[in-house]
Amino acid sequence: MRTSRIRTATLAAVTAALALGLTACGGADGGSKAAGGDSAAATAQSRSASNGGGEGGTQANSGGDAKEGAASTTASGGTGEAGSKGTTAGAQQCRGDEMLLTAVHRFAGQQGDHLLVTASNKGAKPCWVTSYPAVKLGDVDGTALPHSKKDNAGGGKQITLQPGGKAYSAVNLFDYGSKNHTAQSFSLALRGADGHDGPSYSVDIKGEKPQFTWNEADVLNWNTKKPYDI
């Protein structure tokens, strides 16, 4: 009986030890699960942060960059426009030695008699013209012709001519039939933004009737379209 009690006690002790071991293992498993849960939560949080931040970052960067790129493109486009404008701002004033200046006598002896003046940019870079050219007809005197009072407003703007580009002006001729002047050429100078004249260049008249007569004359602003064209 005593032996049986000892065995029973021993078995009870072993059973208790096993129970404790199992409880410890279960606790370990729970800890593992908890750690795994924490790990999974941390991983999920990390992924969430990575994806959320990444997507947000990607959207912010991609979208932001795209938008910024679009803004850059717009700015570039704006620069392009200022390209134009910027080019206008960055371009130098046209110089007579880089321009081809020609004139044609149109409507000779008729109403609307005038000299069509064409300025072509023969340089390699854009340049601008402004106001109206300073024109002196023949060898009458040293006074440049006045600006036409019938001309449209806007003579103060700068017209940018790309290489090969052209601008037009006109010298209006008024012939009253007596005490008039006659010539076949004139001198022309480009005006600066400050209104001062540059060097003068001689321009020969082309066409069927190069000779022209006048009592009075005036000049139109530069324009990208030919004046008096219907």
Side-chain angles (χ1 to χ4, degrees):
M1 292 294 292
R2 189 173 182 179
T3 303
S4 176
R5 286 179 183 176
I6 292 172
R7 287 179 180 174
T8 302
T10 302
L11 288 172
V14 170
T15 303
L18 288 173
L20 289 173
L22 290 172
T23 302
C25 288
D29 288 343
S32 177
K33 286 180 183 177
D38 291 342
S39 177
T43 304
Q45 186 176 0
S46 175
R47 285 179 183 172
S48 175
S50 174
N51 290 339
E55 286 175 5
T58 301
Q59 287 177 359
N61 290 333
S62 177
D65 289 345
K67 290 179 182 177
E68 193 173 345
S72 176
T73 302
T74 303
S76 176
T79 304
E81 289 173 4
S84 261
K85 295 179 182 177
T87 301
T88 303
Q92 299 294 322
Q93 180 183 355
C94 295
R95 300 187 323 185
D97 57 355
E98 294 182 346
M99 305 291 288
L100 175 61
L101 302 171
T102 61
V104 176
H105 190 189
R106 301 204 301 177
F107 306 127
Q110 306 175 40
Q111 184 175 0
D113 190 352
H114 69 278
L115 305 175
L116 174 64
V117 181
T118 303
S120 304
N121 181 9
K122 293 302 179 182
K125 298 180 180 179
C127 66
W128 55 263
V129 294
T130 189
S131 188
Y132 62 98
V135 175
K136 298 177 182 179
L137 299 179
D139 298 322
V140 176
D141 54 39
T143 304
L145 298 177
H147 178 229
S148 173
K149 295 179 179 179
K150 296 181 180 181
D151 197 6
N152 295 326
K157 67 180 180 180
Q158 295 179 357
I159 299 176
T160 300
L161 303 180
Q162 299 297 327
K166 298 179 180 180
Y168 304 94
S169 177
V171 178
N172 298 315
L173 302 170
F174 304 98
D175 185 0
Y176 304 134
S178 63
K179 297 182 179 180
N180 52 17
H181 309 286
T182 301
Q184 293 188 6
S185 66
F186 62 87
S187 66
L188 182 150
L190 300 174
R191 295 184 189 275
D194 57 2
H196 294 159
D197 301 346
S200 295
Y201 297 88
S202 179
V203 181
D204 294 327
I205 310 301
K206 300 182 180 298
E208 295 180 358
K209 297 182 178 181
Q211 182 171 293
F212 58 93
T213 58
W214 78 99
N215 290 94
E216 295 179 3
D218 56 32
V219 188
L220 298 180
N221 288 324
W222 290 113
N223 203 310
T224 53
K225 296 181 179 180
K226 293 180 179 180
Y228 306 122
D229 271 8
I230 301 175

